[in-house]
PDB file of all heavy atoms in Angstrom:
ATOM      1  N   GLU A  10      -0.623  16.592  -7.030  1.00 96.00           N
ATOM      2  CA  GLU A  10      -1.254  16.088  -8.249  1.00 96.00           C
ATOM      3  C   GLU A  10      -0.966  14.603  -8.421  1.00 96.00           C
ATOM      4  O   GLU A  10      -1.850  13.811  -8.776  1.00 96.00           O
ATOM      5  CB  GLU A  10      -0.763  16.873  -9.469  1.00 96.00           C
ATOM      6  CG  GLU A  10      -1.437  16.418 -10.768  1.00 96.00           C
ATOM      7  CD  GLU A  10      -0.904  17.135 -11.998  1.00 96.00           C
ATOM      8  OE1 GLU A  10       0.131  17.823 -11.870  1.00 96.00           O
ATOM      9  OE2 GLU A  10      -1.518  16.998 -13.070  1.00 96.00           O
ATOM     10  N   PHE A  11       0.286  14.203  -8.165  1.00 96.00           N
ATOM     11  CA  PHE A  11       0.639  12.780  -8.291  1.00 96.00           C
ATOM     12  C   PHE A  11      -0.100  11.956  -7.242  1.00 96.00           C
ATOM     13  O   PHE A  11      -0.623  10.869  -7.529  1.00 96.00           O
ATOM     14  CB  PHE A  11       2.145  12.583  -8.139  1.00 96.00           C
ATOM     15  CG  PHE A  11       2.534  11.137  -8.029  1.00 96.00           C
ATOM     16  CD1 PHE A  11       2.570  10.326  -9.155  1.00 96.00           C
ATOM     17  CD2 PHE A  11       2.805  10.557  -6.792  1.00 96.00           C
ATOM     18  CE1 PHE A  11       2.906   8.983  -9.062  1.00 96.00           C
ATOM     19  CE2 PHE A  11       3.138   9.217  -6.686  1.00 96.00           C
ATOM     20  CZ  PHE A  11       3.185   8.434  -7.827  1.00 96.00           C
ATOM     21  N   GLN A  12      -0.141  12.429  -6.008  1.00 96.00           N
ATOM     22  CA  GLN A  12      -0.804  11.689  -4.940  1.00 96.00           C
ATOM     23  C   GLN A  12      -2.296  11.515  -5.238  1.00 96.00           C
ATOM     24  O   GLN A  12      -2.867  10.445  -4.985  1.00 96.00           O
ATOM     25  CB  GLN A  12      -0.591  12.408  -3.612  1.00 96.00           C
ATOM     26  CG  GLN A  12       0.851  12.384  -3.136  1.00 96.00           C
ATOM     27  CD  GLN A  12       1.043  13.084  -1.810  1.00 96.00           C
ATOM     28  OE1 GLN A  12       0.132  13.745  -1.300  1.00 96.00           O
ATOM     29  NE2 GLN A  12       2.235  12.946  -1.236  1.00 96.00           N
ATOM     30  N   SER A  13      -2.920  12.542  -5.785  1.00 96.00           N
ATOM     31  CA  SER A  13      -4.334  12.455  -6.139  1.00 96.00           C
ATOM     32  C   SER A  13      -4.546  11.427  -7.241  1.00 96.00           C
ATOM     33  O   SER A  13      -5.491  10.623  -7.185  1.00 96.00           O
ATOM     34  CB  SER A  13      -4.831  13.831  -6.586  1.00 96.00           C
ATOM     35  OG  SER A  13      -6.173  13.756  -7.029  1.00 96.00           O
ATOM     36  N   TRP A  14      -3.654  11.419  -8.239  1.00 96.00           N
ATOM     37  CA  TRP A  14      -3.759  10.444  -9.332  1.00 96.00           C
ATOM     38  C   TRP A  14      -3.560   9.015  -8.817  1.00 96.00           C
ATOM     39  O   TRP A  14      -4.292   8.097  -9.192  1.00 96.00           O
ATOM     40  CB  TRP A  14      -2.729  10.780 -10.407  1.00 96.00           C
ATOM     41  CG  TRP A  14      -2.667   9.760 -11.506  1.00 96.00           C
ATOM     42  CD1 TRP A  14      -3.457   9.677 -12.599  1.00 96.00           C
ATOM     43  CD2 TRP A  14      -1.768   8.645 -11.576  1.00 96.00           C
ATOM     44  NE1 TRP A  14      -3.112   8.589 -13.364  1.00 96.00           N
ATOM     45  CE2 TRP A  14      -2.075   7.935 -12.757  1.00 96.00           C
ATOM     46  CE3 TRP A  14      -0.733   8.191 -10.770  1.00 96.00           C
ATOM     47  CZ2 TRP A  14      -1.380   6.798 -13.141  1.00 96.00           C
ATOM     48  CZ3 TRP A  14      -0.045   7.054 -11.147  1.00 96.00           C
ATOM     49  CH2 TRP A  14      -0.375   6.368 -12.326  1.00 96.00           C
ATOM     50  N   ALA A  15      -2.574   8.819  -7.933  1.00 96.00           N
ATOM     51  CA  ALA A  15      -2.291   7.480  -7.410  1.00 96.00           C
ATOM     52  C   ALA A  15      -3.468   6.949  -6.596  1.00 96.00           C
ATOM     53  O   ALA A  15      -3.835   5.772  -6.690  1.00 96.00           O
ATOM     54  CB  ALA A  15      -1.022   7.501  -6.565  1.00 96.00           C
ATOM     55  N   LYS A  16      -4.083   7.820  -5.789  1.00 96.00           N
ATOM     56  CA  LYS A  16      -5.236   7.391  -4.994  1.00 96.00           C
ATOM     57  C   LYS A  16      -6.418   7.035  -5.899  1.00 96.00           C
ATOM     58  O   LYS A  16      -7.151   6.081  -5.629  1.00 96.00           O
ATOM     59  CB  LYS A  16      -5.623   8.499  -4.024  1.00 96.00           C
ATOM     60  CG  LYS A  16      -4.611   8.697  -2.890  1.00 96.00           C
ATOM     61  CD  LYS A  16      -5.011   9.843  -1.981  1.00 96.00           C
ATOM     62  CE  LYS A  16      -3.977  10.034  -0.868  1.00 96.00           C
ATOM     63  NZ  LYS A  16      -4.321  11.191   0.004  1.00 96.00           N
ATOM     64  N   ALA A  17      -6.586   7.802  -6.964  1.00 95.00           N
ATOM     65  CA  ALA A  17      -7.664   7.495  -7.905  1.00 95.00           C
ATOM     66  C   ALA A  17      -7.437   6.157  -8.589  1.00 95.00           C
ATOM     67  O   ALA A  17      -8.371   5.385  -8.823  1.00 95.00           O
ATOM     68  CB  ALA A  17      -7.785   8.620  -8.937  1.00 95.00           C
ATOM     69  N   GLN A  18      -6.170   5.843  -8.912  1.00 95.00           N
ATOM     70  CA  GLN A  18      -5.831   4.547  -9.504  1.00 95.00           C
ATOM     71  C   GLN A  18      -6.167   3.418  -8.532  1.00 95.00           C
ATOM     72  O   GLN A  18      -6.724   2.387  -8.925  1.00 95.00           O
ATOM     73  CB  GLN A  18      -4.336   4.505  -9.852  1.00 95.00           C
ATOM     74  CG  GLN A  18      -3.965   5.248 -11.110  1.00 95.00           C
ATOM     75  CD  GLN A  18      -4.316   4.457 -12.366  1.00 95.00           C
ATOM     76  OE1 GLN A  18      -4.733   3.310 -12.302  1.00 95.00           O
ATOM     77  NE2 GLN A  18      -4.159   5.096 -13.519  1.00 95.00           N
ATOM     78  N   ALA A  19      -5.812   3.605  -7.257  1.00 96.00           N
ATOM     79  CA  ALA A  19      -6.079   2.572  -6.252  1.00 96.00           C
ATOM     80  C   ALA A  19      -7.581   2.360  -6.082  1.00 96.00           C
ATOM     81  O   ALA A  19      -8.059   1.220  -5.981  1.00 96.00           O
ATOM     82  CB  ALA A  19      -5.437   2.955  -4.928  1.00 96.00           C
ATOM     83  N   THR A  20      -8.334   3.451  -6.062  1.00 95.00           N
ATOM     84  CA  THR A  20      -9.790   3.349  -5.920  1.00 95.00           C
ATOM     85  C   THR A  20     -10.407   2.613  -7.107  1.00 95.00           C
ATOM     86  O   THR A  20     -11.264   1.736  -6.942  1.00 95.00           O
ATOM     87  CB  THR A  20     -10.407   4.743  -5.805  1.00 95.00           C
ATOM     88  OG1 THR A  20      -9.874   5.397  -4.646  1.00 95.00           O
ATOM     89  CG2 THR A  20     -11.929   4.659  -5.689  1.00 95.00           C
ATOM     90  N   TYR A  21      -9.954   2.942  -8.303  1.00 95.00           N
ATOM     91  CA  TYR A  21     -10.450   2.268  -9.501  1.00 95.00           C
ATOM     92  C   TYR A  21     -10.145   0.774  -9.457  1.00 95.00           C
ATOM     93  O   TYR A  21     -11.010  -0.065  -9.757  1.00 95.00           O
ATOM     94  CB  TYR A  21      -9.813   2.905 -10.741  1.00 95.00           C
ATOM     95  CG  TYR A  21     -10.014   2.106 -12.003  1.00 95.00           C
ATOM     96  CD1 TYR A  21     -11.242   2.079 -12.647  1.00 95.00           C
ATOM     97  CD2 TYR A  21      -8.968   1.345 -12.535  1.00 95.00           C
ATOM     98  CE1 TYR A  21     -11.437   1.335 -13.803  1.00 95.00           C
ATOM     99  CE2 TYR A  21      -9.149   0.597 -13.683  1.00 95.00           C
ATOM    100  CZ  TYR A  21     -10.383   0.591 -14.309  1.00 95.00           C
ATOM    101  OH  TYR A  21     -10.570  -0.151 -15.440  1.00 95.00           O
ATOM    102  N   THR A  22      -8.918   0.436  -9.068  1.00 94.00           N
ATOM    103  CA  THR A  22      -8.517  -0.981  -9.006  1.00 94.00           C
ATOM    104  C   THR A  22      -9.388  -1.747  -8.013  1.00 94.00           C
ATOM    105  O   THR A  22      -9.863  -2.856  -8.306  1.00 94.00           O
ATOM    106  CB  THR A  22      -7.038  -1.096  -8.610  1.00 94.00           C
ATOM    107  OG1 THR A  22      -6.238  -0.410  -9.570  1.00 94.00           O
ATOM    108  CG2 THR A  22      -6.599  -2.554  -8.548  1.00 94.00           C
ATOM    109  N   GLN A  23      -9.591  -1.177  -6.823  1.00 93.00           N
ATOM    110  CA  GLN A  23     -10.407  -1.853  -5.817  1.00 93.00           C
ATOM    111  C   GLN A  23     -11.847  -2.037  -6.280  1.00 93.00           C
ATOM    112  O   GLN A  23     -12.461  -3.066  -6.039  1.00 93.00           O
ATOM    113  CB  GLN A  23     -10.373  -1.052  -4.511  1.00 93.00           C
ATOM    114  CG  GLN A  23      -9.068  -1.152  -3.752  1.00 93.00           C
ATOM    115  CD  GLN A  23      -8.725  -2.583  -3.381  1.00 93.00           C
ATOM    116  OE1 GLN A  23      -9.576  -3.348  -2.932  1.00 93.00           O
ATOM    117  NE2 GLN A  23      -7.473  -2.961  -3.598  1.00 93.00           N
ATOM    118  N   ASP A  24     -12.375  -1.036  -6.980  1.00 93.00           N
ATOM    119  CA  ASP A  24     -13.747  -1.152  -7.491  1.00 93.00           C
ATOM    120  C   ASP A  24     -13.871  -2.313  -8.474  1.00 93.00           C
ATOM    121  O   ASP A  24     -14.847  -3.072  -8.444  1.00 93.00           O
ATOM    122  CB  ASP A  24     -14.161   0.158  -8.169  1.00 93.00           C
ATOM    123  CG  ASP A  24     -14.395   1.279  -7.165  1.00 93.00           C
ATOM    124  OD1 ASP A  24     -14.531   0.976  -5.968  1.00 93.00           O
ATOM    125  OD2 ASP A  24     -14.431   2.455  -7.593  1.00 93.00           O
ATOM    126  N   VAL A  25     -12.887  -2.453  -9.342  1.00 92.00           N
ATOM    127  CA  VAL A  25     -12.910  -3.542 -10.324  1.00 92.00           C
ATOM    128  C   VAL A  25     -12.802  -4.895  -9.625  1.00 92.00           C
ATOM    129  O   VAL A  25     -13.572  -5.831  -9.900  1.00 92.00           O
ATOM    130  CB  VAL A  25     -11.787  -3.369 -11.359  1.00 92.00           C
ATOM    131  CG1 VAL A  25     -11.690  -4.601 -12.259  1.00 92.00           C
ATOM    132  CG2 VAL A  25     -12.011  -2.120 -12.192  1.00 92.00           C
ATOM    133  N   LEU A  26     -11.848  -5.032  -8.691  1.00 91.00           N
ATOM    134  CA  LEU A  26     -11.635  -6.312  -8.026  1.00 91.00           C
ATOM    135  C   LEU A  26     -12.823  -6.709  -7.155  1.00 91.00           C
ATOM    136  O   LEU A  26     -13.232  -7.871  -7.124  1.00 91.00           O
ATOM    137  CB  LEU A  26     -10.358  -6.248  -7.179  1.00 91.00           C
ATOM    138  CG  LEU A  26      -9.040  -6.099  -7.954  1.00 91.00           C
ATOM    139  CD1 LEU A  26      -7.860  -5.979  -6.987  1.00 91.00           C
ATOM    140  CD2 LEU A  26      -8.820  -7.271  -8.893  1.00 91.00           C
ATOM    141  N   GLN A  27     -13.367  -5.755  -6.438  1.00 90.00           N
ATOM    142  CA  GLN A  27     -14.475  -6.073  -5.532  1.00 90.00           C
ATOM    143  C   GLN A  27     -15.757  -6.432  -6.275  1.00 90.00           C
ATOM    144  O   GLN A  27     -16.673  -7.029  -5.694  1.00 90.00           O
ATOM    145  CB  GLN A  27     -14.723  -4.884  -4.604  1.00 90.00           C
ATOM    146  CG  GLN A  27     -13.608  -4.710  -3.574  1.00 90.00           C
ATOM    147  CD  GLN A  27     -13.774  -3.462  -2.724  1.00 90.00           C
ATOM    148  OE1 GLN A  27     -14.780  -2.755  -2.852  1.00 90.00           O
ATOM    149  NE2 GLN A  27     -12.796  -3.195  -1.881  1.00 90.00           N
ATOM    150  N   SER A  28     -15.840  -6.082  -7.554  1.00 91.00           N
ATOM    151  CA  SER A  28     -17.034  -6.425  -8.330  1.00 91.00           C
ATOM    152  C   SER A  28     -16.996  -7.849  -8.855  1.00 91.00           C
ATOM    153  O   SER A  28     -17.991  -8.355  -9.381  1.00 91.00           O
ATOM    154  CB  SER A  28     -17.182  -5.447  -9.507  1.00 91.00           C
ATOM    155  OG  SER A  28     -16.116  -5.625 -10.424  1.00 91.00           O
ATOM    156  N   LEU A  29     -15.864  -8.541  -8.713  1.00 93.00           N
ATOM    157  CA  LEU A  29     -15.752  -9.914  -9.205  1.00 93.00           C
ATOM    158  C   LEU A  29     -16.497 -10.868  -8.274  1.00 93.00           C
ATOM    159  O   LEU A  29     -16.197 -10.935  -7.079  1.00 93.00           O
ATOM    160  CB  LEU A  29     -14.284 -10.331  -9.304  1.00 93.00           C
ATOM    161  CG  LEU A  29     -13.397  -9.493 -10.227  1.00 93.00           C
ATOM    162  CD1 LEU A  29     -11.962  -9.980 -10.161  1.00 93.00           C
ATOM    163  CD2 LEU A  29     -13.899  -9.555 -11.662  1.00 93.00           C
ATOM    164  N   PRO A  30     -17.455 -11.643  -8.784  1.00 94.00           N
ATOM    165  CA  PRO A  30     -18.212 -12.567  -7.927  1.00 94.00           C
ATOM    166  C   PRO A  30     -17.313 -13.692  -7.414  1.00 94.00           C
ATOM    167  O   PRO A  30     -16.478 -14.225  -8.152  1.00 94.00           O
ATOM    168  CB  PRO A  30     -19.304 -13.100  -8.855  1.00 94.00           C
ATOM    169  CG  PRO A  30     -18.748 -12.932 -10.238  1.00 94.00           C
ATOM    170  CD  PRO A  30     -17.912 -11.694 -10.199  1.00 94.00           C
ATOM    171  N   GLY A  31     -17.439 -14.016  -6.134  1.00 94.00           N
ATOM    172  CA  GLY A  31     -16.672 -15.118  -5.559  1.00 94.00           C
ATOM    173  C   GLY A  31     -15.266 -14.742  -5.143  1.00 94.00           C
ATOM    174  O   GLY A  31     -14.528 -15.584  -4.618  1.00 94.00           O
ATOM    175  N   ARG A  32     -14.877 -13.480  -5.345  1.00 94.00           N
ATOM    176  CA  ARG A  32     -13.494 -13.097  -5.040  1.00 94.00           C
ATOM    177  C   ARG A  32     -13.186 -13.229  -3.547  1.00 94.00           C
ATOM    178  O   ARG A  32     -12.131 -13.752  -3.175  1.00 94.00           O
ATOM    179  CB  ARG A  32     -13.238 -11.664  -5.502  1.00 94.00           C
ATOM    180  CG  ARG A  32     -11.826 -11.166  -5.178  1.00 94.00           C
ATOM    181  CD  ARG A  32     -11.582  -9.761  -5.711  1.00 94.00           C
ATOM    182  NE  ARG A  32     -10.236  -9.325  -5.422  1.00 94.00           N
ATOM    183  CZ  ARG A  32      -9.871  -8.692  -4.314  1.00 94.00           C
ATOM    184  NH1 ARG A  32     -10.783  -8.429  -3.381  1.00 94.00           N
ATOM    185  NH2 ARG A  32      -8.618  -8.327  -4.115  1.00 94.00           N
ATOM    186  N   ASP A  33     -14.070 -12.760  -2.676  1.00 91.00           N
ATOM    187  CA  ASP A  33     -13.828 -12.829  -1.237  1.00 91.00           C
ATOM    188  C   ASP A  33     -13.714 -14.273  -0.760  1.00 91.00           C
ATOM    189  O   ASP A  33     -12.873 -14.605   0.085  1.00 91.00           O
ATOM    190  CB  ASP A  33     -14.947 -12.113  -0.471  1.00 91.00           C
ATOM    191  CG  ASP A  33     -14.902 -10.607  -0.672  1.00 91.00           C
ATOM    192  OD1 ASP A  33     -13.838 -10.108  -1.092  1.00 91.00           O
ATOM    193  OD2 ASP A  33     -15.918  -9.942  -0.420  1.00 91.00           O
ATOM    194  N   LYS A  34     -14.532 -15.145  -1.314  1.00 94.00           N
ATOM    195  CA  LYS A  34     -14.489 -16.550  -0.937  1.00 94.00           C
ATOM    196  C   LYS A  34     -13.174 -17.186  -1.388  1.00 94.00           C
ATOM    197  O   LYS A  34     -12.544 -17.963  -0.656  1.00 94.00           O
ATOM    198  CB  LYS A  34     -15.671 -17.289  -1.560  1.00 94.00           C
ATOM    199  CG  LYS A  34     -15.764 -18.758  -1.171  1.00 94.00           C
ATOM    200  CD  LYS A  34     -16.994 -19.405  -1.790  1.00 94.00           C
ATOM    201  CE  LYS A  34     -17.075 -20.879  -1.403  1.00 94.00           C
ATOM    202  NZ  LYS A  34     -18.270 -21.528  -2.019  1.00 94.00           N
ATOM    203  N   LEU A  35     -12.769 -16.841  -2.608  1.00 94.00           N
ATOM    204  CA  LEU A  35     -11.513 -17.369  -3.138  1.00 94.00           C
ATOM    205  C   LEU A  35     -10.329 -16.861  -2.314  1.00 94.00           C
ATOM    206  O   LEU A  35      -9.410 -17.620  -1.983  1.00 94.00           O
ATOM    207  CB  LEU A  35     -11.344 -16.967  -4.605  1.00 94.00           C
ATOM    208  CG  LEU A  35     -10.042 -17.379  -5.287  1.00 94.00           C
ATOM    209  CD1 LEU A  35      -9.903 -18.895  -5.309  1.00 94.00           C
ATOM    210  CD2 LEU A  35      -9.978 -16.817  -6.704  1.00 94.00           C
ATOM    211  N   LEU A  36     -10.339 -15.584  -1.973  1.00 91.00           N
ATOM    212  CA  LEU A  36      -9.250 -14.996  -1.201  1.00 91.00           C
ATOM    213  C   LEU A  36      -9.147 -15.644   0.174  1.00 91.00           C
ATOM    214  O   LEU A  36      -8.041 -15.923   0.671  1.00 91.00           O
ATOM    215  CB  LEU A  36      -9.472 -13.488  -1.052  1.00 91.00           C
ATOM    216  CG  LEU A  36      -8.353 -12.696  -0.373  1.00 91.00           C
ATOM    217  CD1 LEU A  36      -7.060 -12.812  -1.151  1.00 91.00           C
ATOM    218  CD2 LEU A  36      -8.756 -11.238  -0.222  1.00 91.00           C
ATOM    219  N   LYS A  37     -10.277 -15.922   0.781  1.00 91.00           N
ATOM    220  CA  LYS A  37     -10.294 -16.582   2.085  1.00 91.00           C
ATOM    221  C   LYS A  37      -9.699 -17.978   1.992  1.00 91.00           C
ATOM    222  O   LYS A  37      -8.922 -18.398   2.854  1.00 91.00           O
ATOM    223  CB  LYS A  37     -11.718 -16.648   2.612  1.00 91.00           C
ATOM    224  CG  LYS A  37     -11.828 -17.304   3.983  1.00 91.00           C
ATOM    225  CD  LYS A  37     -13.281 -17.367   4.453  1.00 91.00           C
ATOM    226  CE  LYS A  37     -13.371 -18.077   5.800  1.00 91.00           C
ATOM    227  NZ  LYS A  37     -14.791 -18.172   6.272  1.00 91.00           N
ATOM    228  N   ARG A  38     -10.044 -18.708   0.912  1.00 93.00           N
ATOM    229  CA  ARG A  38      -9.525 -20.070   0.762  1.00 93.00           C
ATOM    230  C   ARG A  38      -8.027 -20.064   0.511  1.00 93.00           C
ATOM    231  O   ARG A  38      -7.289 -20.912   1.040  1.00 93.00           O
ATOM    232  CB  ARG A  38     -10.255 -20.762  -0.400  1.00 93.00           C
ATOM    233  CG  ARG A  38      -9.811 -22.204  -0.647  1.00 93.00           C
ATOM    234  CD  ARG A  38      -9.985 -23.061   0.594  1.00 93.00           C
ATOM    235  NE  ARG A  38      -9.634 -24.450   0.346  1.00 93.00           N
ATOM    236  CZ  ARG A  38      -9.208 -25.289   1.284  1.00 93.00           C
ATOM    237  NH1 ARG A  38      -9.089 -24.875   2.540  1.00 93.00           N
ATOM    238  NH2 ARG A  38      -8.921 -26.534   0.986  1.00 93.00           N
ATOM    239  N   ILE A  39      -7.557 -19.108  -0.287  1.00 89.00           N
ATOM    240  CA  ILE A  39      -6.118 -18.998  -0.534  1.00 89.00           C
ATOM    241  C   ILE A  39      -5.364 -18.732   0.769  1.00 89.00           C
ATOM    242  O   ILE A  39      -4.307 -19.315   1.033  1.00 89.00           O
ATOM    243  CB  ILE A  39      -5.829 -17.887  -1.564  1.00 89.00           C
ATOM    244  CG1 ILE A  39      -6.339 -18.315  -2.948  1.00 89.00           C
ATOM    245  CG2 ILE A  39      -4.339 -17.564  -1.627  1.00 89.00           C
ATOM    246  CD1 ILE A  39      -6.229 -17.228  -4.000  1.00 89.00           C
ATOM    247  N   ALA A  40      -5.928 -17.843   1.604  1.00 85.00           N
ATOM    248  CA  ALA A  40      -5.300 -17.542   2.891  1.00 85.00           C
ATOM    249  C   ALA A  40      -5.252 -18.775   3.786  1.00 85.00           C
ATOM    250  O   ALA A  40      -4.265 -19.018   4.485  1.00 85.00           O
ATOM    251  CB  ALA A  40      -6.055 -16.415   3.587  1.00 85.00           C
ATOM    252  N   GLU A  41      -6.310 -19.590   3.750  1.00 85.00           N
ATOM    253  CA  GLU A  41      -6.335 -20.819   4.546  1.00 85.00           C
ATOM    254  C   GLU A  41      -5.233 -21.775   4.113  1.00 85.00           C
ATOM    255  O   GLU A  41      -4.540 -22.369   4.937  1.00 85.00           O
ATOM    256  CB  GLU A  41      -7.700 -21.494   4.417  1.00 85.00           C
ATOM    257  CG  GLU A  41      -8.832 -20.746   5.102  1.00 85.00           C
ATOM    258  CD  GLU A  41     -10.183 -21.381   4.813  1.00 85.00           C
ATOM    259  OE1 GLU A  41     -10.238 -22.291   3.948  1.00 85.00           O
ATOM    260  OE2 GLU A  41     -11.172 -20.972   5.437  1.00 85.00           O
ATOM    261  N   LEU A  42      -5.084 -21.946   2.806  1.00 84.00           N
ATOM    262  CA  LEU A  42      -4.065 -22.862   2.289  1.00 84.00           C
ATOM    263  C   LEU A  42      -2.662 -22.323   2.520  1.00 84.00           C
ATOM    264  O   LEU A  42      -1.724 -23.060   2.804  1.00 84.00           O
ATOM    265  CB  LEU A  42      -4.302 -23.115   0.797  1.00 84.00           C
ATOM    266  CG  LEU A  42      -5.596 -23.838   0.436  1.00 84.00           C
ATOM    267  CD1 LEU A  42      -5.777 -23.885  -1.072  1.00 84.00           C
ATOM    268  CD2 LEU A  42      -5.598 -25.243   1.011  1.00 84.00           C
ATOM    269  N   ASP A  43      -2.512 -21.012   2.375  1.00 79.00           N
ATOM    270  CA  ASP A  43      -1.203 -20.388   2.527  1.00 79.00           C
ATOM    271  C   ASP A  43      -0.697 -20.501   3.960  1.00 79.00           C
ATOM    272  O   ASP A  43       0.508 -20.527   4.206  1.00 79.00           O
ATOM    273  CB  ASP A  43      -1.290 -18.912   2.121  1.00 79.00           C
ATOM    274  CG  ASP A  43       0.079 -18.292   1.952  1.00 79.00           C
ATOM    275  OD1 ASP A  43       0.952 -18.945   1.358  1.00 79.00           O
ATOM    276  OD2 ASP A  43       0.279 -17.156   2.424  1.00 79.00           O
ATOM    277  N   ASN A  44      -1.619 -20.577   4.916  1.00 77.00           N
ATOM    278  CA  ASN A  44      -1.248 -20.680   6.333  1.00 77.00           C
ATOM    279  C   ASN A  44      -1.546 -22.066   6.897  1.00 77.00           C
ATOM    280  O   ASN A  44      -1.797 -22.208   8.093  1.00 77.00           O
ATOM    281  CB  ASN A  44      -2.007 -19.621   7.148  1.00 77.00           C
ATOM    282  CG  ASN A  44      -1.506 -18.228   6.858  1.00 77.00           C
ATOM    283  OD1 ASN A  44      -0.377 -17.896   7.187  1.00 77.00           O
ATOM    284  ND2 ASN A  44      -2.333 -17.409   6.237  1.00 77.00           N
ATOM    285  N   ALA A  45      -1.499 -23.075   6.031  1.00 77.00           N
ATOM    286  CA  ALA A  45      -1.906 -24.408   6.468  1.00 77.00           C
ATOM    287  C   ALA A  45      -0.835 -25.134   7.260  1.00 77.00           C
ATOM    288  O   ALA A  45      -1.136 -26.020   8.045  1.00 77.00           O
ATOM    289  CB  ALA A  45      -2.302 -25.253   5.251  1.00 77.00           C
ATOM    290  N   GLY A  46       0.423 -24.787   7.070  1.00 84.00           N
ATOM    291  CA  GLY A  46       1.486 -25.570   7.681  1.00 84.00           C
ATOM    292  C   GLY A  46       2.448 -24.737   8.507  1.00 84.00           C
ATOM    293  O   GLY A  46       2.530 -23.522   8.371  1.00 84.00           O
ATOM    294  N   VAL A  47       3.196 -25.426   9.369  1.00 89.00           N
ATOM    295  CA  VAL A  47       4.249 -24.809  10.171  1.00 89.00           C
ATOM    296  C   VAL A  47       5.535 -24.789   9.344  1.00 89.00           C
ATOM    297  O   VAL A  47       5.917 -25.802   8.747  1.00 89.00           O
ATOM    298  CB  VAL A  47       4.474 -25.598  11.476  1.00 89.00           C
ATOM    299  CG1 VAL A  47       5.639 -25.028  12.263  1.00 89.00           C
ATOM    300  CG2 VAL A  47       3.204 -25.593  12.315  1.00 89.00           C
ATOM    301  N   GLN A  48       6.198 -23.646   9.301  1.00 88.00           N
ATOM    302  CA  GLN A  48       7.420 -23.509   8.521  1.00 88.00           C
ATOM    303  C   GLN A  48       8.640 -23.515   9.446  1.00 88.00           C
ATOM    304  O   GLN A  48       8.684 -22.772  10.425  1.00 88.00           O
ATOM    305  CB  GLN A  48       7.398 -22.201   7.711  1.00 88.00           C
ATOM    306  CG  GLN A  48       6.236 -22.094   6.732  1.00 88.00           C
ATOM    307  CD  GLN A  48       6.301 -23.153   5.646  1.00 88.00           C
ATOM    308  OE1 GLN A  48       7.365 -23.492   5.147  1.00 88.00           O
ATOM    309  NE2 GLN A  48       5.139 -23.666   5.277  1.00 88.00           N
ATOM    310  N   ILE A  49       9.639 -24.360   9.125  1.00 91.00           N
ATOM    311  CA  ILE A  49      10.868 -24.476   9.905  1.00 91.00           C
ATOM    312  C   ILE A  49      12.048 -24.048   9.026  1.00 91.00           C
ATOM    313  O   ILE A  49      12.129 -24.430   7.855  1.00 91.00           O
ATOM    314  CB  ILE A  49      11.092 -25.919  10.394  1.00 91.00           C
ATOM    315  CG1 ILE A  49       9.934 -26.375  11.278  1.00 91.00           C
ATOM    316  CG2 ILE A  49      12.425 -26.035  11.141  1.00 91.00           C
ATOM    317  CD1 ILE A  49       9.819 -25.651  12.591  1.00 91.00           C
ATOM    318  N   SER A  50      12.968 -23.270   9.594  1.00 91.00           N
ATOM    319  CA  SER A  50      14.157 -22.855   8.844  1.00 91.00           C
ATOM    320  C   SER A  50      15.343 -22.696   9.791  1.00 91.00           C
ATOM    321  O   SER A  50      15.179 -22.718  11.018  1.00 91.00           O
ATOM    322  CB  SER A  50      13.894 -21.543   8.095  1.00 91.00           C
ATOM    323  OG  SER A  50      13.566 -20.506   9.003  1.00 91.00           O
ATOM    324  N   SER A  51      16.544 -22.542   9.199  1.00 93.00           N
ATOM    325  CA  SER A  51      17.792 -22.317   9.962  1.00 93.00           C
ATOM    326  C   SER A  51      18.042 -23.418  10.992  1.00 93.00           C
ATOM    327  O   SER A  51      18.515 -23.152  12.103  1.00 93.00           O
ATOM    328  CB  SER A  51      17.772 -20.951  10.651  1.00 93.00           C
ATOM    329  OG  SER A  51      17.603 -19.918   9.719  1.00 93.00           O
TER     330      SER A  51
END
């Protein structure tokens, strides 16, 4: 019962997000900026 409810919540969330105009374009641009540079540590 819990697993069925959780999957329904995920499906509802994705339906809402995917209906937003320009979301895929925005997400692609964020990914480009997020991976724009080389990270050095240690």
